[in-house]
Amino acid sequence: MSQPTKFVYLFGGVRTEGAAAMKNLLGGKGANLAEMCRLGITVPSGFTISTEACTVFTEQGKAAALKLIEAEVLQGVAFVEQQMGKRFGDAADPLLLSVRSGARASMPGMMDTILNLGLNDEAVLGLAAKTGNERFAWDSYRRFVQMYGDVVMGLKPVSKEDHDPFEVIIDMVKAQRGVKLDTELSADDLKELVARFRALIRARIGRDFPTDPWEQLWGAVVAVFESWNNERARVYRELNDIPQGWGTAVNVQAMVFGNLGQSSATGVAFTRDAGTGEDLFNGEFLVNAQGEDVVAGIRTPQQVSLVGSRRWAQLAQVSEEDRLANYPSLEELMPDIYRQLLHAETTLENHFHDMQDLEFTIQEGQLWMLQTRNGKRTGAAMVRIAMEMLQQGLIDEKTALQRVSPDRLNELLHPVFDAQALKDSTAIARGLPASPGAASGQIVFFADEAEDWAKRSLAVILVRQETSPEDLRGMSVANGILTARGGMTSHAAVVARGMGKCCVSGAGAVHVDYKARCFTIGDKTWSEGDWISLDGSTGEVYAGRIATRDAELSGDFGALMALARRYQRLEVRANADTPEEAKIARKFGATGIGLARTEHMFFEGERILAVREMILADDEAGRRKALAKLLPIQRGDFEGLFREMDGLPVTIRLLDPPLHEFVPHDEAGQAAMAREMKVSPGKIRMRVEELHEFNPMLGHRGCRLGITYPEITEMQARAIFEAALNVQARGTVVKAEIMVPLVGTVREFSLQAAVIRGVAAQVFAERGETLDYLLGTMIETPRSALVADSIGRQAQFFSFGTNDLTQMTMGFSRDDAGKFLPDYLKKGIYERDPFRSIDQKGVGLLVEMAVAKGRAVRPGIEVGVCGEHGGDPASVAFFHRAGLDYVSCSPFRVPIARLAAAQAAIDAG
Ligand code: ADP
Ligand code: MG
Ligand code: MG
């Protein structure tokens, strides 16, 4: 690449060389400063040193870079001098500058801004004389020495327990003077601060604070370039896939002063409400302040608009009198300026077609804009702003869909705490934000008791060391689940997400004592029946009860999802085991059930006894007897699912988990089974021991069960066909898809298929009716993907079980990965948790290969994905590109997957 010849781009006043489209070259801040100038908005003049200069600095070193840009920087300063009518370095009336970094993408860890650059012992006197405001001059100088000493000279706290050394001195002087606020320090106090700051720098760094303005300027420019390569910035880029080669731009700009007295101010504003999305201009400002004072919270800021001010007063319980006297809005205080600001915000939003986050300063009655960028916002605001901008004709449909991050929809799908109530509460512990939502309830430690309490209409939080499949019903009736152990993919976390139930997992500080029916955190104890609250979006645990609101599927949200439907090609089904889950899935726009797990129904009530009897029987006759008890129950379950999904496909997976998950491991349970089956307890214990496996996930499970015990497959197939014919007779349209799990060879599949087809023929003959159904397989062992062509000749559909496929391809299990996966992610061995987002380069390859092989032998074979990946936006985009027909995810993630599918379709063009 040839060396660029231009490195500096002017903006402001008579000449602007940059534009918004030049973000790569000028960084986000610089490009938008230039764009504001082009729009005729008043911006202090300045220039941007391009990102290419930073790249030269990194690759060829300081001397080479400075030599290349020196002449242009001199010209740039001359341009600013001319625009502002002041000279840089002039002692009588100095031009002061700000130096601001700005990369293409906003990036924490980069250099902080330096204000008031150009001041020294002479210039400060000139500034004081010229403005007639000695205090202002010394306040500006004090800030400059502090920022420069910190950012450029590196005078930071020594250790993390240390306070900022400059703030320590400020606090000391304040204490000596007996004042609380910075604004109460006099010009003399500020003078003293400057002297002390400089002495500290000399003592600690061994160098004097530079008093030559040019030395100051070059020092600051070099510091910005260097900050691009500091450790924190590098790591951030690695984690966020930002190329190291991009470089940062440096913006050098004339200072304007918000700290020049009562007709000066500084503030920030949003063109719409970033919390709710309401189309209402809003913001905050401080009179007689500079830079980040507003955000730093040193004084209570005032509201920009009158409406905003009145709303704020109400929330803060400030009377109208008090508000008018002490916190008037900018609209009231400086109506002219407010009108100009309103004009600027409208211009900018109409121009950028997105909600803008603005920074401005008012100097003695004149408004200056200092920054504009697309504002950050909540999930709710994202949806509302996108849909309102579409209606207002500011953006088109595709843009509206692209404006919403699918994951952020989560915030709209679960109950939330009332914001005010939350403010008044204190957190007692923190775990992992395992499943979003907000829940309050009384502590219960046992799943069966959770059910009892819930029956009495009590709100409960189930608190467990960890959960197991036996806790399912208790979990489903609880308002929320708290576990002391387990990660984001622990049983509690996965099940709770599926249920759309709030869950905080792995709260290590919580010590559960089942016997005493209490838990302790430190030296405090909470007992059964005490109220606690969980925030599943932050992982926070609170003492007491906090009011919640139900999530509302607002009009905008509905409209967004209707729009998604028109663009998505990939269908989205749901994983649902019960009619209730199916109902939620349909409400959220699922177009079928992609996975109904038959065994989840096995735990309910009396059924578990029949299931155990079947498992513990010694022979086929014993098993058949127990299976006969299960048949009507399963049939009823399937009828419910078919009815709820009328007209949409329902994919039912045959029995999958290892049998030991269902048997009683405790003595009492074994004794009960012995009575039920009329055998000795010792015999039951022996059977349970026989079922023990070293690696149950790689053991006797999936279709291996049906191969050894075909009568189980027979019963399940019969339940499905009879249920289908029963509801079909009453007018329901049934689309049944039967799925054989964990197949590895074509023979496994064809043996099971033969059993199922045999049962179908029998049932159809008995009833004199028939049913169209599909018979397919899961692709979830690596071998099945490798031989997908031969399996595809037999199977009518493939459904990728990406959880098992990931476990077996990676060679580690989801439940055990918590011990090392965090390290693996930190060290960059995997970019993302492969159980949350599909490993595209490895597991993804198997998926693509199996799809190709399947379609080669059976064009039009239906291919889908079931498993948690179906609800992950990045995975959904991958599955779209891989040409799948559908993904299936938990009901509460259906809208997220649908939006991700629409975006993937738009991206593909
Ligand atoms: P950040 O990237 O952290 O937002 P900025 O470069 O925007 O940093 O600077 C932070 C603040 O410093 C701005 O919001 C503004 O208040 C103040 N500031 C920056 N440049 C100037 C300037 N030329 N005149 C007055 N204030 C400025
Ligand atoms: Mg800023
Ligand atoms: Mg599986």
Side-chain angles (χ1 to χ4, degrees):
M1 205 174 76
S2 66
Q3 189 101 289
T5 52
K6 181 173 172 64
F7 292 98
V8 168
Y9 294 79
L10 309 176
F11 61 81
V14 296
R15 185 142 180 226
T16 293
E17 299 175 327
M22 294 161 72
K23 281 208 172 62
N24 293 353
L25 192 62
L26 305 180
K29 200 179 286 170
N32 278 1
L33 281 168
E35 191 76 7
M36 284 200 285
C37 295
R38 288 184 182 273
L39 292 169
I41 287 167
T42 315
V43 171
S45 302
F47 56 89
T48 305
I49 308 174
S50 74
T51 54
E52 289 173 346
C54 182
T55 307
V56 173
F57 182 92
T58 310
E59 287 172 1
Q60 301 172 33
K62 177 171 156 179
L66 295 193
K67 196 163 150 242
L68 267 178
I69 63 174
E70 186 174 13
E72 282 183 79
V73 170
L74 293 183
Q75 284 164 20
V77 173
F79 165 77
V80 181
E81 288 178 336
Q82 203 187 350
Q83 294 301 306
M84 303 303 286
K86 290 176 199 290
R87 299 264 327 280
F88 186 59
D90 186 354
D93 184 13
L95 169 70
L96 301 187
L97 299 172
S98 72
V99 176
R100 321 166 67 186
S101 66
R104 284 190 210 182
S106 101
M107 232 178 73
M110 299 271 308
M111 199 199 77
D112 293 323
T113 295
I114 295 170
L115 304 180
N116 311 326
L117 187 139
L119 279 175
N120 54 31
D121 292 346
E122 289 86 52
V124 71
L125 302 179
L127 188 64
K130 181 78 193 174
T131 56
N133 189 335
E134 196 188 9
R135 194 192 175 282
F136 153 74
W138 284 96
D139 182 46
S140 303
Y141 196 16
R142 183 276 295 179
R143 290 169 189 266
F144 172 49
V145 176
Q146 186 173 346
M147 285 186 253
Y148 199 91
D150 168 5
V151 172
V152 181
M153 304 188 79
L155 191 64
K156 308 263 185 206
V158 183
S159 73
K160 72 168 189 265
E161 291 82 19
D162 258 9
H163 292 284
D164 178 89
F166 296 108
E167 293 296 333
V168 170
I169 296 179
I170 295 177
D171 287 343
M172 218 156 65
V173 171
K174 275 196 214 161
Q176 278 168 9
R177 303 293 182 274
V179 300
K180 283 221 174 70
L181 293 176
D182 293 12
T183 43
E184 294 170 303
L185 292 171
S186 69
D188 282 338
D189 299 336
L190 295 164
K191 254 181 232 179
E192 184 179 335
L193 282 183
V194 170
R196 287 205 191 195
F197 285 178
R198 289 175 58 181
L200 179 74
I201 291 173
R202 198 176 310 118
R204 283 265 198 97
I205 312 274
R207 264 188 298 134
D208 273 324
F209 181 81
T211 49
D212 174 51
W214 282 99
E215 192 186 338
Q216 293 169 354
L217 180 57
W218 288 115
V221 170
V222 166
V224 175
F225 286 155
E226 281 175 344
S227 75
W228 176 258
N229 280 308
N230 73 31
E231 182 65 15
R232 209 150 67 100
R234 274 187 168 280
V235 170
Y236 181 84
R237 287 197 293 274
E238 261 162 37
L239 290 176
N240 292 279
D241 284 336
I242 298 177
Q244 305 290 351
W246 276 7
T248 177
V250 188
N251 300 288
V252 178
Q253 189 179 25
M255 279 302 299
V256 288
F257 301 99
N259 55 340
L260 252 176
Q262 292 308 305
S263 59
S264 301
T266 186
V268 295
F270 296 89
T271 60
R272 299 186 186 215
D273 190 311
T276 64
E278 185 180 355
D279 188 1
L280 184 78
F281 178 55
N282 65 98
E284 297 183 330
F285 71 103
L286 275 180
V287 173
N288 199 11
Q290 193 176 40
E292 314 268 46
D293 289 358
V294 177
V295 212
I298 52 171
R299 278 185 272 152
T300 306
Q302 292 156 243
Q303 299 298 309
V304 167
S305 74
L306 177 55
V307 186
S309 186
R310 290 218 164 110
R311 285 192 191 174
W312 164 83
Q314 203 166 25
L315 282 173
Q317 299 185 306
V318 169
S319 71
E320 177 64 10
E321 242 184 329
D322 189 7
R323 187 193 71 78
L324 259 177
N326 298 309
Y327 309 101
S329 65
L330 189 70
E331 190 170 356
E332 293 156 294
L333 200 62
M334 305 178 187
D336 261 358
I337 297 274
Y338 179 75
R339 264 193 296 283
Q340 289 170 39
L341 190 59
L342 212 53
H343 177 70
E345 71 95 15
T346 314
T347 308
L348 287 169
E349 190 183 274
N350 288 342
H351 182 70
F352 286 104
H353 305 297
D354 199 356
M355 187 259 272
Q356 296 296 296
D357 168 353
L358 312 167
E359 296 174 358
F360 62 92
T361 282
I362 300 158
Q363 176 177 339
E364 298 188 302
Q366 172 157 18
L367 174 68
W368 300 88
M369 298 306 291
L370 289 170
Q371 190 168 344
T372 188
R373 61 185 152 189
N374 297 337
K376 297 221 171 1
R377 62 204 78 173
T378 64
M382 232 175 233
V383 172
R384 178 161 175 187
I385 291 173
M387 294 318 287
E388 288 188 355
M389 285 197 162
L390 174 63
Q391 283 148 23
Q392 292 161 352
L394 280 166
I395 54 177
D396 63 14
E397 291 179 350
K398 289 182 182 174
T399 310
L401 285 165
Q402 299 281 37
R403 280 284 165 81
V404 181
S405 323
D407 259 328
R408 303 296 300 277
L409 293 180
N410 234 335
E411 297 164 35
L412 294 155
L413 293 167
H414 298 277
V416 288
F417 283 127
D418 182 74
Q420 193 54 42
L422 193 61
K423 263 191 205 146
D424 301 336
S425 315
T426 40
I428 53 171
R430 177 173 230 161
L432 297 170
S435 179
S440 281
Q442 292 176 272
I443 297 167
V444 173
F445 293 98
F446 302 94
D448 56 337
E449 292 172 22
E451 283 181 64
D452 293 343
W453 288 50
K455 266 190 209 129
R456 288 185 278 139
S457 302
L458 298 172
V460 300
I461 301 281
L462 181 63
V463 181
R464 301 282 307 163
Q465 190 70 14
E466 59 206 347
T467 61
S468 71
E470 282 160 65
D471 298 328
L472 276 179
R473 300 230 305 166
M475 293 170 78
S476 75
V477 299
N479 278 7
I481 296 139
L482 170 64
T483 66
R485 281 206 218 130
M488 291 294 286
T489 54
S490 63
H491 178 266
V494 174
V495 171
R497 281 200 290 277
M499 293 175 171
K501 191 163 296 276
C502 167
C503 173
V504 172
S505 67
V510 174
H511 294 280
V512 179
D513 185 341
Y514 288 129
K515 280 223 174 76
R517 293 175 178 262
C518 70
F519 69 75
T520 54
I521 299 172
D523 55 6
K524 291 222 177 75
T525 302
W526 281 263
S527 302
E528 183 178 278
D530 288 349
W531 282 85
I532 55 167
S533 301
L534 309 177
D535 187 333
S537 315
T538 62
E540 222 96 48
V541 183
Y542 298 90
R545 182 178 192 168
I546 306 176
T548 59
R549 291 191 284 113
D550 253 350
E552 281 160 36
L553 302 191
S554 69
D556 288 326
F557 188 25
L560 178 78
M561 292 322 296
L563 200 57
R565 158 107 320 130
R566 305 220 328 258
Y567 285 87
Q568 71 182 92
R569 179 193 58 68
L570 194 66
E571 291 291 332
V572 177
R573 297 187 186 178
N575 300 348
D577 304 331
T578 63
E580 294 75 54
E581 286 176 353
K583 194 177 203 138
I584 299 172
R586 270 202 106 139
K587 186 174 93 181
F588 287 152
T591 47
I593 291 180
L595 175 63
R597 287 159 290 212
T598 48
E599 65 273 8
H600 275 192
M601 307 161 175
F602 281 4
F603 282 100
E604 297 209 1
E606 295 294 299
R607 317 167 167 205
I608 189 67
L609 289 179
V611 173
R612 288 173 171 174
E613 186 181 331
M614 184 263 293
I615 295 170
L616 297 171
D618 313 294
D619 54 12
E620 191 185 323
R623 275 190 298 278
R624 284 198 182 274
K625 190 170 142 249
L627 285 165
K629 295 186 196 169
L630 279 173
L631 175 66
I633 304 174
Q634 284 245 295
R635 191 171 55 218
D637 291 336
F638 295 140
E639 284 174 1
L641 280 179
F642 288 138
R643 260 199 304 271
E644 198 59 59
M645 296 308 287
D646 187 4
L648 297 175
V650 177
T651 314
I652 297 169
R653 180 178 70 183
L654 300 179
L655 188 63
D656 182 57
L659 297 180
H660 83 281
E661 281 191 11
F662 301 100
V663 296
H665 294 278
D666 59 316
E667 228 168 273
Q670 292 180 357
M673 281 318 298
R675 276 196 303 278
E676 180 82 14
M677 294 171 66
K678 302 187 175 66
V679 294
S680 74
K683 189 154 184 206
I684 299 291
R685 194 175 349 105
M686 245 174 59
R687 272 298 284 153
V688 170
E689 276 162 19
E690 275 167 28
L691 286 168
H692 171 79
E693 289 178 310
F694 290 105
N695 285 306
M697 293 320 280
L698 297 174
H700 196 184
R701 58 173 286 229
C703 67
R704 296 159 203 163
L705 294 169
I707 297 285
T708 356
Y709 308 124
E711 56 275 16
I712 298 180
T713 305
E714 271 175 37
M715 182 282 284
Q716 292 203 295
R718 180 169 276 276
I720 294 169
F721 291 125
E722 288 182 355
L725 292 182
N726 287 351
V727 299
Q728 189 175 265
R730 277 174 251 129
T732 297
V733 178
V734 177
K735 292 191 169 172
E737 303 188 359
I738 302 174
M739 179 155 87
V740 182
L742 219 73
V743 160
T745 79
V746 68
R747 179 114 182 105
E748 271 173 314
F749 178 76
S750 48
L751 282 174
Q752 287 290 288
V755 172
I756 296 163
R757 291 210 178 91
V759 172
Q762 260 175 32
V763 174
F764 297 165
E766 286 161 23
R767 297 288 187 101
E769 277 173 85
T770 59
L771 174 83
D772 284 333
Y773 66 95
L774 292 183
L775 182 48
T777 181
M778 291 190 70
I779 301 287
E780 56 182 338
T781 66
R783 193 181 192 285
S784 65
L786 296 169
V787 300
D789 40 2
S790 64
I791 295 177
R793 286 201 187 87
Q794 308 288 323
Q796 290 172 296
F797 67 87
F798 288 167
S799 174
F800 290 94
T802 50
N803 296 341
D804 267 312
L805 191 59
T806 298
Q807 298 197 121
M808 290 188 220
T809 304
M810 299 304 213
F812 50 74
S813 84
R814 184 175 70 183
D815 300 324
D816 295 320
K819 290 197 181 117
F820 54 86
L821 202 52
D823 268 350
Y824 269 54
L825 297 176
K826 223 183 281 153
K827 296 192 170 147
I829 297 172
Y830 293 116
E831 269 169 57
R832 283 182 277 220
D833 178 345
F835 294 111
R836 296 182 91 193
S837 196
I838 191 98
D839 163 45
Q840 300 185 13
K841 289 181 189 143
V843 179
L845 216 57
L846 286 174
V847 172
E848 287 170 332
M849 189 185 69
V851 171
K853 282 176 177 268
R855 294 228 167 108
V857 296
R858 190 187 286 269
I861 184 174
E862 181 184 87
V863 281
V865 167
C866 59
E868 298 261 311
H869 295 101
D872 167 64
S875 307
V876 170
F878 172 78
F879 295 135
H880 173 92
R881 290 194 299 273
L884 267 62
D885 296 305
Y886 70 86
V887 294
S888 187
C889 56
S890 68
F892 282 92
R893 291 198 76 85
V894 167
I896 296 168
R898 286 179 54 204
L899 179 60
Q903 292 181 348
I906 293 170
D907 283 340

